[in-house]
Amino acid sequence: MERWKGRVALVTGASVGIGAAVARALVQQGMRVVGCARNVDKIEKLAAECQSAGYSGTLIPYKCDLSNEEEILSMFSAIKTLHQGVDVCINNAGLAHNEPLLSGKTEGWRNMIDVNVLALAICTREAYKSMKERNVDDGQIININSMGGHRMVPSADEHFYCATKYAVTALTEGLRQELREANTHIRATCISPGIVETEFAFRHHNSDPEKAAAVYESIKCLKAEDIASAVTYVLSAPPHVQIGDVQMRPVEQVS
């Protein structure tokens, strides 16, 4: 991780869960991390904790609604002005709504596409532009996907969400191919966790907290820090090594 010290990483959805753990890990490794979310109160608290812990990097909170392209573009413009640009882009933000294919609301479907697919693609495009403008040829784009992007969960509440994660799988491979065609050494990686104990299930099943709790009580789940470790593993790989897809799940998880 030595070569990343002092360089700039963008982590989307950095206020809680996997995003917060990734942001903390990268600051600990000496990176300047822009952590964005719709609400930055928790990121500001995390930034203070990192500073108190004496980490060599810094965490910069940035308020951004990723379902709004103008806000994303404004964020990248601010990063360019204040920090020159993005060297590492961690597309972590994602959400799920209980909207089955046969009875779901279009609004919920659209929100999942906006955040899980379009925001990821927009941030990727803008991060690549930032790298090329500054002749950064060793940058890294990491998409936090899901095992739901590789197999369909047998639950109607999850089907549309899984479809957006299948899109992330396809977008990551498409990105890898386009980066090769562009003769760049910028790398693209997809990290696909199984069940991770975060606030995700409680947001997904917001009307049924007992159901959400049951998800995490059934087995020994992954922790957000496990995913952060996977991110640092990917970043620490030698520049000539392309890690395409990291699939990780709890030992006890069935599928």
Side-chain angles (χ1 to χ4, degrees), residues 110-203:
R110 184 174 290 115
N111 188 219
M112 284 187 273
I113 289 174
D114 284 345
V115 176
N116 298 1
V117 181
L118 286 178
L120 178 146
I122 295 167
C123 286
T124 296
R125 181 190 69 200
E126 297 305 310
Y128 174 71
K129 284 182 181 178
S130 173
M131 295 174 198
K132 290 301 290 181
E133 285 174 357
R134 295 171 297 120
N135 295 317
V136 171
D137 195 46
D138 66 342
Q140 178 85 51
I141 296 165
I142 299 177
N143 294 329
I144 305 299
N145 195 357
S146 165
M147 285 303 300
H150 302 276
R151 82 282 189 271
M152 186 60 69
V153 177
S155 168
D157 291 344
E158 315 285 344
H159 289 161
F160 199 94
Y161 168 77
C162 285
T164 66
K165 290 302 184 177
Y166 267 84
V168 172
T169 301
L171 288 169
T172 306
E173 174 57 17
L175 173 62
R176 187 194 68 80
Q177 293 183 16
E178 290 190 25
L179 290 170
R180 296 292 71 73
E181 290 169 5
N183 293 316
T184 173
H185 293 90
I186 297 168
R187 302 180 296 180
T189 299
C190 185
I191 297 177
S192 302
I195 300 174
V196 186
E197 189 172 355
T198 64
E199 295 183 7
F200 187 87
F202 290 96
R203 291 181 173 184

Side-chain angles (χ1 to χ4, degrees), residues 102-114:
L102 298 181
S103 59
K105 297 182 181 64
T106 306
E107 180 183 6
W109 294 344
R110 184 174 290 115
N111 188 219
M112 284 187 273
I113 289 174
D114 284 345

Side-chain angles (χ1 to χ4, degrees), residues 85-113:
V86 171
D87 301 307
V88 173
C89 180
I90 313 288
N91 287 309
N92 164 74
L95 50 80
H97 297 297
N98 296 333
E99 303 293 356
L101 299 177
L102 298 181
S103 59
K105 297 182 181 64
T106 306
E107 180 183 6
W109 294 344
R110 184 174 290 115
N111 188 219
M112 284 187 273
I113 289 174

